[in-house]
Amino acid sequence: MTETHESTLVLDPPSGEPEPAEHMLRTVLLAPLRARFWKELVYVLTVFVLGCAAVAYLFFGFGGGLYLAITIIGLPVLALVLLGGRVWGRVYRALAKDLLGVTVTPPPQFAPAPGVFGFLKGAFTDRVSWRSALFLLAQAVLGVAVGYLVLVTMAMTMFTAISPIPWALVHPTNVDEHGVEHQSMVQFGDFSIDSWPKVLGFALLGILGCLVLPWLLRGVCLVHGLLTIALLSATARDRRVIELQESRRTAVEDSAATLRRLERDLHDGTQARLVTIAMALGRAEDRLAAGGDPSDLIADAHASAKEALTELRELVRGIHPPALELGLEPALETLTARCSVPVELRVHLPKRPNPAIEAIAYFSVAELLTNVVRHAHATGAWVSVLPSDARTIAVTVRDNGIGGVVPPTDVAIGAGSGLSGLAARARTVDGTLTVQSPAGGPTVLTILLPLAGSR
């Protein structure tokens, strides 16, 4: 009985989610009590004060810098004032994030050329500083003028809503146009709010106005948010520069890690075997000089030489698989044939990709198949390399395992292993990695790579 009653409560519209009209009425009535309203009120009040300070900053900063331009210190002053816009930008971005919930991607840091002239040239050609100065100039209108009107309107509306309190306690008086003084709350020409019914009606108008204030405030804050995104966020060009810098750093770290791995493998593996071979041949030579039979030592040296050659082939395959000389499809056929999980391969490439793209695709598939064998508990996998469009190929690895793979985040990109390493490697050529892996499977990982390499 209890389970049936609870199910009825969930499915019954009057006791479940409210009807649209009821929901709208509740939203309007509770809007002045929401935390969002008070955060937006604090934001408008804060940017009003900051706007007044920003106007003074622009006036005295640029005015003083231009006045001092006739001296040698004028240009450095103007440069510092202009770069100060970056500080203002950080303040406004923090306010927008904390009070409006608007997350703005910060622009790149200021990186001038060495020397005084490099600093001055960098300051006067810094687009971020000029955009910040334009934002401060816009705050003179939006933050100060519009903010003042909004704050005055809110103060008057709230005072109107509580007008019965000062009417009862203070007994305000006004003088009409005939010079007659009488008790009234507000006077409009010959009409005076001078009785309790009029005062209560006047307060009712104030209460209705308080229900409208949150939406007025929300509209103003929406414009503030759009202006912050337009002038204080990183542009597409800035984001592209940041991505290229991150890709370059990742490529350098990946190359350094590869060199360290090769050095370690050569030192700990192949070099040790070559030393063993040299020692065995030396002992064989001594035994032969003494008239003994060195055949067992020569056999050991021969076996060690074969093992060293095998390790060298594996090292070479780790740098650049020889099968890639024939193309990506033959290389993947060799790779999937060695996988312990049955793999179905499908490759269709009307045009052969750039060698760097082929190497990234090969090593990505190799690592993903290794993950399938180790972690997925899968009985089968499917690998496809197909054109996504005229300039992009899609490398997809799918398995029927247990799923639950966690996609790499932007914070993790740059790590040297796992999905984060694959994502970072793809980003070095403007590629992307996407993961679809619900609990219980299947897992589908797709890497989009450009045919011709990074643009």
Side-chain angles (χ1 to χ4, degrees), residues 33-391:
L33 305 178
R34 304 281 188 188
R36 177 176 179 176
F37 168 74
W38 296 102
K39 285 184 177 181
E40 290 174 341
L41 177 59
V42 172
Y43 179 84
V44 171
L45 181 61
T46 304
V47 296
F48 170 74
V49 177
L50 287 178
C52 296
V55 171
Y57 174 83
L58 292 177
F59 179 79
F60 291 105
F62 282 101
L66 292 174
Y67 178 77
L68 295 174
I70 58 176
T71 66
I72 194 172
I73 64 173
L75 290 179
V77 169
L78 284 174
L80 292 175
V81 171
L82 190 59
L83 290 175
R86 284 178 166 268
V87 179
W88 284 94
R90 283 196 289 270
V91 173
Y92 277 98
R93 283 193 297 271
L95 285 174
K97 179 181 179 181
D98 295 337
L99 298 179
L100 301 184
V102 177
T103 302
V104 181
T105 303
Q109 297 293 326
F110 177 62
V116 177
F117 291 102
F119 174 81
L120 293 177
K121 180 181 178 181
F124 287 114
T125 58
D126 184 35
R127 295 180 300 109
V128 176
S129 298
W130 286 107
R131 293 171 65 214
S132 300
L134 181 60
F135 178 86
L136 294 180
L137 189 62
Q139 286 299 313
V141 177
L142 183 61
V144 178
V146 176
Y148 175 78
L149 293 177
V150 171
L151 292 174
V152 170
T153 301
M154 295 186 65
M156 294 176 62
T157 304
M158 293 179 180
F159 178 78
T160 302
I162 63 171
S163 57
I165 298 176
W167 167 262
L169 298 178
V170 181
H171 305 290
T173 59
N174 286 286
V175 179
D176 61 17
E177 58 183 5
H178 302 292
V180 179
E181 181 178 299
H182 52 89
Q183 181 181 356
S184 65
M185 191 69 212
V186 179
Q187 183 171 307
F188 302 98
D190 292 334
F191 181 78
S192 299
I193 308 296
D194 54 1
S195 63
W196 272 110
K198 292 181 180 180
V199 170
L200 294 177
F202 188 61
L204 179 61
L205 291 178
I207 294 174
L208 295 177
C210 288
L211 299 178
V212 178
L213 288 180
W215 310 104
L216 172 64
L217 201 60
R218 190 166 301 179
V220 173
C221 290
L222 176 62
V223 178
H224 273 283
L226 294 176
L227 184 66
T228 303
I229 293 174
L231 294 178
L232 297 183
S233 66
T235 62
R237 179 182 175 183
D238 295 332
R239 289 191 292 269
R240 177 61 176 162
V241 170
I242 294 174
E243 289 176 0
L244 290 176
Q245 291 174 344
E246 178 65 21
S247 298
R248 182 180 64 182
R249 184 185 65 82
T250 301
V252 171
E253 292 180 353
D254 190 45
S255 299
T258 301
L259 290 176
R260 288 193 298 269
R261 177 178 59 82
L262 290 175
E263 180 182 6
R264 183 180 64 252
D265 292 342
L266 287 173
H267 182 273
D268 298 340
T270 307
Q271 179 177 328
R273 292 194 179 279
L274 291 176
V275 171
T276 302
I277 294 171
M279 294 177 63
L281 291 176
R283 292 167 56 194
E285 184 179 8
D286 294 339
R287 184 179 295 183
L288 184 62
D293 183 13
S295 58
D296 57 334
L297 295 175
I298 295 175
D300 290 341
H302 184 253
S304 297
K306 288 183 177 180
E307 293 176 355
L309 287 175
T310 302
E311 290 181 356
L312 286 174
R313 291 193 188 98
E314 292 297 328
L315 287 176
V316 171
R317 185 178 291 110
I319 301 172
H320 185 77
L324 277 178
E325 300 296 333
L326 302 177
L328 183 59
E329 184 174 2
L332 291 179
E333 289 176 352
T334 304
L335 178 65
T336 54
R338 297 201 307 263
C339 185
S340 59
V341 175
V343 180
E344 181 179 330
L345 176 65
R346 181 188 177 193
V347 179
H348 176 68
L349 294 174
K351 180 181 177 182
R352 184 170 180 178
N354 183 288
I357 300 300
E358 288 185 334
I360 292 176
Y362 176 88
F363 287 115
S364 298
V365 172
E367 183 158 350
L368 291 176
L369 288 180
T370 301
N371 291 340
V372 170
V373 174
R374 291 180 178 177
H375 310 296
H377 304 288
T379 59
W382 293 261
V383 176
S384 65
V385 182
L386 304 172
S388 177
D389 52 43
R391 296 182 297 177

